[in-house]
Amino acid sequence: MSLHSALYVGMVRHRRFRPRPHALAYRVFWMLLDLDEIDSLADRLRLFSRNRFNLYAFRDADYGDRSGKPLRPQVEALLSAAGIAPDGGPIRLLTMPRILGYAFNPLSTYFCHRRDGSLLATVYEVHNTFGEIHSYVARAEEGGGVLRQEADKVFHVSPFMGLAMRYAFTVVPPGERVSIAIDGHDDEGRLITAMLGGRRTALGDGALLRLLATHPLLTLKVTAAIHWHALRLIAKRIAWRPHPAPPERPFSLGTAVMTPHPKGPMQP
């Protein structure tokens, strides 16, 4: 059986421009999981399971409303609430799996397709270190290619940045490569940029075993890196922002801002 699910191996880079520059970069990998293929993947792979412990695992309750209910109807309901009508096409999630029982995903992205394979919308599911989740939902322009979308920031992520910002997304949907660039702008201009990108490789036990050697305890390292760089920002005397109340709705609506361009963002 031909699978749409895959692995993407690459890098994450963050850069802050003001009031003092700060940057980070680390190697990472993601799984692209077709929501209709997860059970079959768990059946055919020894090192990957769904909703039970394994070297690598996918846990439904890590996503969406965290009830553990199937994700496809949750994502379709989210699209419908945002005024986007799904037609039963594939939904593919780019995320980091649980590794030895632990996972933290600052960003997981759903690529929601029509039945004809064209991209209908994206859902950017953001998790912060305070246990909160919010999703930015944006329609994809017809025609394929690079996505360019915007959304007002409404969800607290870092205590070193306020909410008075707007995000600009530039996305190359999963193919041989995947790339997501996010620029954050405030009244003074660009404040931050975050970029992730990776190259596709087949999802199999051999590849998962190799990644354990090249990216040991990846998900734990992501959490450790967040706190380490928070200490560095404190040392740079970046102002600490109070934690605002989370948004009342679990999602907010973004917009497509321009027609696709043949060239994607610079790869991280």
Side-chain angles (χ1 to χ4, degrees):
M1 180 181 67
S2 177
L3 294 175
H4 296 284
S5 301
L7 293 165
Y8 284 86
V9 183
M11 295 285 295
V12 166
R13 300 183 189 274
H14 288 232
R15 185 179 178 188
R16 183 184 181 121
F17 300 96
R18 294 182 278 109
R20 281 169 284 282
H22 184 78
L24 65 90
Y26 50 89
R27 296 184 303 161
V28 70
F29 71 89
W30 303 266
M31 284 184 171
L32 179 72
L33 295 171
D34 187 303
L35 297 187
D36 294 329
E37 293 180 350
I38 298 176
D39 286 333
S40 61
L41 282 171
D43 288 341
R44 66 187 292 176
L45 297 176
R46 294 183 178 182
L47 302 181
F48 174 78
S49 297
R50 182 175 195 170
N51 294 328
R52 65 180 181 85
F53 182 83
N54 202 333
L55 185 59
Y56 298 90
F58 177 85
R59 183 171 174 259
D60 291 79
D62 290 336
Y63 304 91
D65 65 7
R66 292 183 286 191
S67 66
K69 296 177 181 178
L71 281 178
R72 169 180 273 281
Q74 289 194 52
V75 176
E76 290 178 333
L78 193 65
L79 293 174
S80 297
I84 302 171
D87 67 0
I91 299 175
R92 294 168 187 146
L93 171 62
L94 186 72
T95 190
M96 287 183 290
R98 282 182 170 256
I99 301 176
L100 293 173
Y102 181 80
F104 174 69
N105 275 282
L107 174 67
S108 296
T109 304
Y110 300 86
F111 294 90
C112 307
H113 298 261
R114 301 178 182 89
R115 288 184 180 179
D116 64 8
S118 62
L119 191 61
L120 172 67
T122 51
V123 177
Y124 304 99
E125 184 176 287
V126 182
H127 294 228
N128 64 24
T129 56
F130 307 99
E132 299 165 341
I133 300 176
H134 186 78
S135 293
Y136 297 92
V137 183
R139 188 184 300 274
E141 286 198 4
E142 295 184 6
V146 177
L147 301 176
R148 300 182 191 275
Q149 300 160 324
E150 290 187 354
D152 289 328
K153 180 181 179 182
V154 299
F155 179 62
H156 181 73
V157 176
S158 167
F160 304 99
M161 286 183 290
L163 293 182
M165 291 175 56
R166 187 164 177 84
Y167 292 132
F169 302 91
T170 306
V171 181
V172 177
E176 287 305 308
R177 295 192 64 90
V178 65
S179 179
I180 301 175
I182 306 171
D183 286 327
H185 295 79
D186 62 12
D187 290 341
E188 298 179 31
R190 186 168 64 166
L191 175 61
I192 62 161
T193 187
M195 301 177 66
L196 66 85
R199 186 175 297 277
R200 186 183 183 102
T201 189
L203 177 50
D205 283 321
L208 291 173
L209 197 59
R210 288 190 295 273
L211 287 171
L212 184 66
T214 58
H215 300 68
L217 299 178
L218 170 65
T219 50
L220 184 61
K221 287 184 176 181
V222 169
T223 301
I226 290 171
H227 290 91
W228 167 244
H229 285 279
L231 291 175
R232 292 183 61 189
L233 290 172
I234 291 172
K236 291 183 177 183
R237 298 182 180 179
I238 306 296
W240 183 279
R241 308 280 185 142
H243 187 155
E248 293 183 1
R249 294 199 306 175
F251 75 93
S252 54
L253 188 60
T255 58
V257 296
M258 60 188 299
T259 56
H261 191 279
K263 292 184 179 180
M266 180 179 64
Q267 298 295 338

